[in-house]
């Protein structure tokens, strides 16, 4: 396995709509394993393929506690098939936007349908942090970021900050 570089704002790739995965082959499974290693090293609870510059519809996730045993999951071509009316508020961070936290309200429970790493269709009912994280990662596949939940003024401030940071790192 290998750790991959995570792209950050203002990289325009983050605004890409990712394409469905056509084939689950050895290369794709290797990508998923590399994404898991990258996510654990960061550390983070989720990572979408586009964050390692691969515009394909998959993400990895592990919302288990630090003390619990790891629960790595790979979701390929995920879609939400139902959402609760009840909402859950969570302060979300993102590995592509270091040090930015945004309070976001999303459905508290969802049912997500996806293909696992063996190409088998799965349906999973998620709640709590898992439900929030899945919706966050799904947003990435459509080019959406946590700053899109901010007012335009605040969003522009964050974007300016990251542009400046990127210039100073050149
Ligand atoms: Ni993110």
């Amino acid at each position: 396995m290998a750790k991959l570089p995570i792209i950050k704002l203002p990289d325009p790739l983050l605004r890409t709509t990712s394409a469905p995965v056509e084939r689950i082959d050895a290369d794709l499974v290797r990508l998923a394993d590399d994404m898991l290693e990258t996510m654990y090293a960061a550390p983070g609870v989720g990572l979408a393929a586009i964050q390692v510059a691969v515009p394909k519809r998959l993400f990895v996730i592990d919302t288990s506690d630090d003390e619990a045993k790891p629960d790595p999951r790979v979701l390929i071509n995920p879609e939400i098939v139902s959402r609760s009316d009840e909402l859950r508020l969570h302060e979300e961070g993102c590995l592509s936007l270091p040090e930015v936290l945004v309070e976001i309200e999303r459905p508290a429970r969802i049912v997500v349908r996806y293909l696992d790493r063996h190409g088998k269709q799965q349906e999973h009912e998620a709640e709590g942090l898992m439900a929030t994280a899945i919706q966050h990662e799904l947003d990435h596949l459509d080019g959406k970021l946590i700053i899109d939940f901010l007012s335009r003024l605040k969003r522009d401030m964050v974007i300016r900050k990251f542009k400046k940071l990127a210039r100073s790192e050149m």
Side-chain angles (χ1 to χ4, degrees):
M1 292 209 285
K3 227 178 88 183
L4 305 168
I6 297 175
I7 61 170
K8 300 191 172 74
L9 204 71
D11 193 318
L13 259 185
L14 289 169
R15 293 309 195 172
T16 310
T17 300
S18 295
V21 171
E22 308 271 0
R23 248 167 67 110
I24 300 174
D25 53 15
D27 284 345
L28 192 91
V29 171
R30 191 174 318 118
L31 170 66
D33 285 337
D34 288 346
M35 285 167 58
L36 279 165
E37 185 176 335
T38 305
M39 177 189 80
Y40 286 126
V45 297
L47 186 71
I50 193 63
Q51 293 180 275
V52 293
V54 179
K56 289 184 179 171
R57 299 190 81 81
L58 78 143
F59 60 78
V60 295
I61 209 160
D62 184 347
T63 56
S64 60
D65 288 339
D66 289 344
E67 301 86 55
K69 92 179 200 312
D71 180 25
R73 291 168 191 251
V74 179
L75 283 77
I76 301 165
N77 295 344
E79 46 182 327
I80 293 177
V81 292
S82 76
R83 299 171 167 81
S84 65
D85 292 333
E86 189 198 327
L87 301 174
R88 174 179 192 269
L89 184 69
H90 189 80
E91 195 173 54
E92 298 181 27
C94 180
L95 295 175
S96 294
L97 291 90
E99 290 170 39
V100 175
L101 291 170
V102 182
E103 278 206 329
I104 301 173
E105 218 173 20
R106 303 182 189 263
R109 283 182 312 284
I110 54 160
V111 176
V112 63
R113 188 183 292 154
Y114 61 97
L115 299 173
D116 67 17
R117 60 163 67 224
H118 308 292
K120 195 166 168 253
Q121 187 174 292
Q122 303 279 357
E123 231 177 68
H124 177 68
E125 190 177 344
E127 60 179 7
L129 180 59
M130 177 73 106
T132 296
I134 287 171
Q135 292 171 85
H136 173 120
E137 298 311 326
L138 253 166
D139 277 353
H140 275 300
L141 306 187
D142 295 319
K144 193 169 179 186
L145 300 169
I146 52 175
I147 50 170
D148 299 340
F149 291 85
L150 293 171
S151 68
R152 179 160 187 173
L153 188 75
K154 284 187 182 163
R155 181 166 66 241
D156 288 349
M157 270 170 55
V158 175
I159 293 170
R160 261 204 308 278
K161 197 185 95 181
F162 277 91
K163 280 186 178 160
K164 214 171 137 186
L165 203 67
R167 274 198 303 273
S168 70
E169 281 169 1
M170 265 186 234

Short mmCIF file of all heavy atoms in Angstrom, two decimals, residues 17-59:
data_model
loop_
_atom_site.label_atom_id
_atom_site.label_comp_id
_atom_site.label_asym_id
_atom_site.label_seq_id
_atom_site.Cartn_x
_atom_site.Cartn_y
_atom_site.Cartn_z
N THR A 17 -17.19 16.73 -10.93
CA THR A 17 -18.17 15.68 -10.67
C THR A 17 -17.52 14.37 -11.09
O THR A 17 -17.13 14.20 -12.24
CB THR A 17 -19.46 15.92 -11.47
OG1 THR A 17 -20.01 17.17 -11.06
CG2 THR A 17 -20.48 14.82 -11.22
N SER A 18 -17.39 13.45 -10.15
CA SER A 18 -16.70 12.19 -10.43
C SER A 18 -17.58 11.26 -11.25
O SER A 18 -18.81 11.28 -11.14
CB SER A 18 -16.29 11.52 -9.12
OG SER A 18 -15.34 12.31 -8.44
N ALA A 19 -16.94 10.42 -12.06
CA ALA A 19 -17.65 9.49 -12.95
C ALA A 19 -17.84 8.13 -12.26
O ALA A 19 -16.99 7.71 -11.46
CB ALA A 19 -16.86 9.32 -14.23
N PRO A 20 -18.93 7.44 -12.59
CA PRO A 20 -19.15 6.12 -12.00
C PRO A 20 -17.99 5.17 -12.29
O PRO A 20 -17.35 5.26 -13.34
CB PRO A 20 -20.43 5.63 -12.70
CG PRO A 20 -21.12 6.86 -13.16
CD PRO A 20 -20.05 7.86 -13.48
N VAL A 21 -17.74 4.28 -11.35
CA VAL A 21 -16.74 3.23 -11.54
C VAL A 21 -17.34 2.18 -12.47
O VAL A 21 -18.44 1.70 -12.24
CB VAL A 21 -16.37 2.59 -10.17
CG1 VAL A 21 -15.50 1.36 -10.37
CG2 VAL A 21 -15.68 3.62 -9.28
N GLU A 22 -16.60 1.87 -13.55
CA GLU A 22 -17.12 0.91 -14.53
C GLU A 22 -16.70 -0.52 -14.21
O GLU A 22 -17.40 -1.47 -14.51
CB GLU A 22 -16.58 1.26 -15.94
CG GLU A 22 -16.79 2.70 -16.38
CD GLU A 22 -18.11 2.89 -17.09
OE1 GLU A 22 -18.86 1.92 -17.23
OE2 GLU A 22 -18.37 4.05 -17.50
N ARG A 23 -15.51 -0.63 -13.62
CA ARG A 23 -14.96 -1.96 -13.38
C ARG A 23 -14.26 -2.00 -12.04
O ARG A 23 -13.45 -1.12 -11.74
CB ARG A 23 -13.91 -2.27 -14.46
CG ARG A 23 -14.29 -3.37 -15.44
CD ARG A 23 -13.30 -3.32 -16.58
NE ARG A 23 -11.98 -3.71 -16.09
CZ ARG A 23 -11.38 -4.85 -16.41
NH1 ARG A 23 -11.97 -5.69 -17.21
NH2 ARG A 23 -10.19 -5.14 -15.94
N ILE A 24 -14.59 -3.03 -11.26
CA ILE A 24 -13.88 -3.20 -10.00
C ILE A 24 -12.80 -4.26 -10.25
O ILE A 24 -13.08 -5.45 -10.24
CB ILE A 24 -14.85 -3.59 -8.88
CG1 ILE A 24 -15.91 -2.48 -8.74
CG2 ILE A 24 -14.10 -3.81 -7.56
CD1 ILE A 24 -17.01 -2.79 -7.77
N ASP A 25 -11.59 -3.76 -10.52
CA ASP A 25 -10.49 -4.67 -10.82
C ASP A 25 -9.37 -4.46 -9.79
O ASP A 25 -9.54 -3.71 -8.82
CB ASP A 25 -9.99 -4.45 -12.26
CG ASP A 25 -9.64 -2.99 -12.53
OD1 ASP A 25 -9.51 -2.21 -11.57
OD2 ASP A 25 -9.50 -2.62 -13.72
N ALA A 26 -8.25 -5.13 -10.01
CA ALA A 26 -7.14 -5.07 -9.05
C ALA A 26 -6.66 -3.63 -8.84
O ALA A 26 -6.32 -3.24 -7.72
CB ALA A 26 -6.00 -5.96 -9.52
N ASP A 27 -6.64 -2.84 -9.93
CA ASP A 27 -6.18 -1.45 -9.82
C ASP A 27 -7.10 -0.65 -8.90
O ASP A 27 -6.64 0.18 -8.11
CB ASP A 27 -6.14 -0.78 -11.20
CG ASP A 27 -4.94 -1.25 -12.02
OD1 ASP A 27 -4.02 -1.85 -11.43
OD2 ASP A 27 -4.95 -1.02 -13.25
N LEU A 28 -8.40 -0.88 -9.04
CA LEU A 28 -9.35 -0.12 -8.22
C LEU A 28 -9.24 -0.53 -6.75
O LEU A 28 -9.28 0.32 -5.86
CB LEU A 28 -10.79 -0.32 -8.72
CG LEU A 28 -11.72 0.70 -8.07
CD1 LEU A 28 -11.82 1.96 -8.90
CD2 LEU A 28 -13.09 0.12 -7.79
N VAL A 29 -9.08 -1.82 -6.51
CA VAL A 29 -8.94 -2.30 -5.12
C VAL A 29 -7.66 -1.73 -4.51
O VAL A 29 -7.64 -1.32 -3.34
CB VAL A 29 -8.97 -3.85 -5.07
CG1 VAL A 29 -8.61 -4.36 -3.67
CG2 VAL A 29 -10.36 -4.37 -5.49
N ARG A 30 -6.59 -1.66 -5.33
CA ARG A 30 -5.34 -1.07 -4.83
C ARG A 30 -5.54 0.41 -4.49
O ARG A 30 -5.07 0.89 -3.47
CB ARG A 30 -4.22 -1.25 -5.87
CG ARG A 30 -2.85 -0.90 -5.29
CD ARG A 30 -1.69 -1.21 -6.25
NE ARG A 30 -1.86 -2.48 -6.92
CZ ARG A 30 -1.98 -2.62 -8.26
NH1 ARG A 30 -1.93 -1.57 -9.04
NH2 ARG A 30 -2.14 -3.81 -8.79
N LEU A 31 -6.27 1.10 -5.36
CA LEU A 31 -6.56 2.51 -5.09
C LEU A 31 -7.31 2.65 -3.75
O LEU A 31 -6.97 3.50 -2.93
CB LEU A 31 -7.41 3.10 -6.23
CG LEU A 31 -8.00 4.50 -5.98
CD1 LEU A 31 -6.90 5.56 -5.87
CD2 LEU A 31 -9.00 4.89 -7.08
N ALA A 32 -8.32 1.80 -3.54
CA ALA A 32 -9.10 1.86 -2.30
C ALA A 32 -8.21 1.61 -1.08
O ALA A 32 -8.32 2.30 -0.06
CB ALA A 32 -10.25 0.84 -2.35
N ASP A 33 -7.30 0.62 -1.19
CA ASP A 33 -6.38 0.33 -0.07
C ASP A 33 -5.44 1.51 0.18
O ASP A 33 -5.17 1.86 1.33
CB ASP A 33 -5.58 -0.94 -0.36
CG ASP A 33 -6.42 -2.20 -0.20
OD1 ASP A 33 -7.43 -2.15 0.54
OD2 ASP A 33 -6.08 -3.24 -0.79
N ASP A 34 -4.95 2.12 -0.89
CA ASP A 34 -4.08 3.29 -0.74
C ASP A 34 -4.84 4.46 -0.11
O ASP A 34 -4.30 5.20 0.71
CB ASP A 34 -3.52 3.73 -2.11
CG ASP A 34 -2.48 2.75 -2.64
OD1 ASP A 34 -2.01 1.90 -1.87
OD2 ASP A 34 -2.14 2.85 -3.84
N MET A 35 -6.11 4.59 -0.49
CA MET A 35 -6.93 5.67 0.10
C MET A 35 -7.15 5.42 1.58
O MET A 35 -7.11 6.37 2.39
CB MET A 35 -8.28 5.76 -0.63
CG MET A 35 -8.20 6.41 -2.02
SD MET A 35 -9.70 6.16 -2.99
CE MET A 35 -10.95 6.90 -1.92
N LEU A 36 -7.35 4.17 1.97
CA LEU A 36 -7.52 3.86 3.40
C LEU A 36 -6.24 4.20 4.17
O LEU A 36 -6.29 4.84 5.22
CB LEU A 36 -7.87 2.37 3.59
CG LEU A 36 -9.34 2.02 3.37
CD1 LEU A 36 -9.52 0.51 3.21
CD2 LEU A 36 -10.22 2.54 4.51
N GLU A 37 -5.09 3.81 3.62
CA GLU A 37 -3.82 4.11 4.28
C GLU A 37 -3.65 5.63 4.42
O GLU A 37 -3.23 6.14 5.46
CB GLU A 37 -2.66 3.51 3.50
CG GLU A 37 -1.34 3.72 4.24
CD GLU A 37 -0.15 3.05 3.54
OE1 GLU A 37 -0.36 2.08 2.79
OE2 GLU A 37 0.97 3.53 3.75
N THR A 38 -3.99 6.35 3.35
CA THR A 38 -3.87 7.81 3.34
C THR A 38 -4.79 8.44 4.39
O THR A 38 -4.39 9.35 5.13
CB THR A 38 -4.22 8.35 1.94
OG1 THR A 38 -3.40 7.68 0.98
CG2 THR A 38 -4.01 9.85 1.84
N MET A 39 -6.03 7.91 4.47
CA MET A 39 -7.00 8.42 5.44
C MET A 39 -6.54 8.18 6.87
O MET A 39 -6.59 9.08 7.71
CB MET A 39 -8.36 7.74 5.20
CG MET A 39 -9.44 8.15 6.19
SD MET A 39 -10.93 7.13 6.01
CE MET A 39 -10.42 5.65 6.90
N TYR A 40 -6.07 6.96 7.17
CA TYR A 40 -5.62 6.65 8.53
C TYR A 40 -4.42 7.49 8.92
O TYR A 40 -4.27 7.91 10.07
CB TYR A 40 -5.29 5.16 8.68
CG TYR A 40 -6.51 4.26 8.73
CD1 TYR A 40 -6.65 3.18 7.87
CD2 TYR A 40 -7.52 4.47 9.68
CE1 TYR A 40 -7.76 2.35 7.91
CE2 TYR A 40 -8.63 3.64 9.73
CZ TYR A 40 -8.75 2.59 8.84
OH TYR A 40 -9.85 1.78 8.90
N ALA A 41 -3.52 7.75 7.95
CA ALA A 41 -2.30 8.50 8.25
C ALA A 41 -2.61 9.97 8.51
O ALA A 41 -1.88 10.65 9.24
CB ALA A 41 -1.31 8.36 7.10
N ALA A 42 -3.70 10.47 7.89
CA ALA A 42 -3.96 11.92 7.92
C ALA A 42 -4.05 12.54 9.33
O ALA A 42 -3.38 13.55 9.59
CB ALA A 42 -5.17 12.25 7.07
N PRO A 43 -4.83 12.08 10.32
CA PRO A 43 -5.85 11.06 10.23
C PRO A 43 -7.21 11.69 9.92
O PRO A 43 -7.44 12.85 10.23
CB PRO A 43 -5.85 10.48 11.65
CG PRO A 43 -5.53 11.66 12.53
CD PRO A 43 -4.68 12.60 11.70
N GLY A 44 -8.09 10.88 9.32
CA GLY A 44 -9.44 11.34 9.03
C GLY A 44 -10.42 10.19 9.11
O GLY A 44 -9.99 9.03 9.22
N VAL A 45 -11.72 10.49 9.06
CA VAL A 45 -12.73 9.43 9.13
C VAL A 45 -13.27 9.06 7.75
O VAL A 45 -13.97 8.07 7.60
CB VAL A 45 -13.92 9.79 10.06
CG1 VAL A 45 -13.44 9.97 11.50
CG2 VAL A 45 -14.66 11.03 9.59
N GLY A 46 -12.93 9.86 6.73
CA GLY A 46 -13.39 9.54 5.38
C GLY A 46 -12.50 10.21 4.35
O GLY A 46 -11.86 11.23 4.63
N LEU A 47 -12.46 9.61 3.16
CA LEU A 47 -11.66 10.19 2.08
C LEU A 47 -12.28 9.76 0.74
O LEU A 47 -12.51 8.57 0.51
CB LEU A 47 -10.21 9.70 2.16
CG LEU A 47 -9.23 10.33 1.17
CD1 LEU A 47 -8.92 11.79 1.52
CD2 LEU A 47 -7.93 9.53 1.11
N ALA A 48 -12.54 10.75 -0.11
CA ALA A 48 -13.10 10.45 -1.44
C ALA A 48 -11.97 10.39 -2.46
O ALA A 48 -10.93 11.05 -2.31
CB ALA A 48 -14.10 11.55 -1.82
N ALA A 49 -12.18 9.60 -3.52
CA ALA A 49 -11.14 9.41 -4.53
C ALA A 49 -10.68 10.74 -5.14
O ALA A 49 -9.50 10.93 -5.40
CB ALA A 49 -11.63 8.46 -5.63
N ILE A 50 -11.63 11.65 -5.32
CA ILE A 50 -11.26 12.94 -5.93
C ILE A 50 -10.25 13.70 -5.06
O ILE A 50 -9.46 14.50 -5.56
CB ILE A 50 -12.52 13.82 -6.20
CG1 ILE A 50 -12.19 15.00 -7.11
CG2 ILE A 50 -13.17 14.28 -4.91
CD1 ILE A 50 -11.74 14.63 -8.48
N GLN A 51 -10.22 13.40 -3.76
CA GLN A 51 -9.25 14.07 -2.87
C GLN A 51 -7.82 13.58 -3.10
O GLN A 51 -6.87 14.19 -2.63
CB GLN A 51 -9.65 13.89 -1.41
CG GLN A 51 -10.94 14.62 -1.05
CD GLN A 51 -11.30 14.41 0.40
OE1 GLN A 51 -11.92 13.43 0.75
NE2 GLN A 51 -10.90 15.34 1.25
N VAL A 52 -7.69 12.44 -3.80
CA VAL A 52 -6.36 12.02 -4.23
C VAL A 52 -6.27 12.12 -5.75
O VAL A 52 -5.55 11.37 -6.41
CB VAL A 52 -5.99 10.60 -3.71
CG1 VAL A 52 -5.84 10.63 -2.19
CG2 VAL A 52 -7.01 9.55 -4.12
N ALA A 53 -7.08 13.05 -6.29
CA ALA A 53 -7.04 13.43 -7.71
C ALA A 53 -7.53 12.35 -8.67
O ALA A 53 -7.13 12.32 -9.83
CB ALA A 53 -5.63 13.90 -8.10
N VAL A 54 -8.38 11.44 -8.18
CA VAL A 54 -8.97 10.41 -9.05
C VAL A 54 -10.48 10.67 -9.13
O VAL A 54 -11.19 10.48 -8.15
CB VAL A 54 -8.70 8.98 -8.51
CG1 VAL A 54 -9.35 7.94 -9.42
CG2 VAL A 54 -7.21 8.72 -8.37
N PRO A 55 -10.96 11.13 -10.30
CA PRO A 55 -12.38 11.51 -10.39
C PRO A 55 -13.32 10.32 -10.61
O PRO A 55 -14.03 10.23 -11.59
CB PRO A 55 -12.40 12.47 -11.59
CG PRO A 55 -11.25 12.05 -12.44
CD PRO A 55 -10.21 11.44 -11.52
N LYS A 56 -13.30 9.38 -9.65
CA LYS A 56 -14.19 8.22 -9.71
C LYS A 56 -15.08 8.19 -8.48
O LYS A 56 -14.67 8.64 -7.41
CB LYS A 56 -13.35 6.93 -9.77
CG LYS A 56 -12.63 6.75 -11.07
CD LYS A 56 -11.90 5.42 -11.10
CE LYS A 56 -11.19 5.26 -12.45
NZ LYS A 56 -10.31 4.11 -12.46
N ARG A 57 -16.27 7.60 -8.66
CA ARG A 57 -17.24 7.62 -7.57
C ARG A 57 -16.97 6.50 -6.55
O ARG A 57 -17.61 5.45 -6.57
CB ARG A 57 -18.67 7.53 -8.11
CG ARG A 57 -19.03 8.70 -9.02
CD ARG A 57 -20.49 8.76 -9.38
NE ARG A 57 -21.29 9.36 -8.33
CZ ARG A 57 -21.42 10.66 -8.14
NH1 ARG A 57 -20.79 11.52 -8.92
NH2 ARG A 57 -22.17 11.12 -7.17
N LEU A 58 -16.01 6.77 -5.69
CA LEU A 58 -15.81 5.89 -4.54
C LEU A 58 -15.21 6.68 -3.40
O LEU A 58 -14.58 7.72 -3.61
CB LEU A 58 -14.92 4.68 -4.88
CG LEU A 58 -13.42 4.86 -4.97
CD1 LEU A 58 -12.71 3.63 -4.43
CD2 LEU A 58 -13.01 5.07 -6.42
N PHE A 59 -15.47 6.20 -2.20
CA PHE A 59 -14.81 6.77 -1.02
C PHE A 59 -14.59 5.69 0.01
O PHE A 59 -15.17 4.60 -0.06
CB PHE A 59 -15.59 7.97 -0.46
CG PHE A 59 -17.00 7.71 0.00
CD1 PHE A 59 -17.25 7.10 1.21
CD2 PHE A 59 -18.07 8.11 -0.78
CE1 PHE A 59 -18.55 6.89 1.65
CE2 PHE A 59 -19.39 7.90 -0.35
CZ PHE A 59 -19.63 7.28 0.87
#
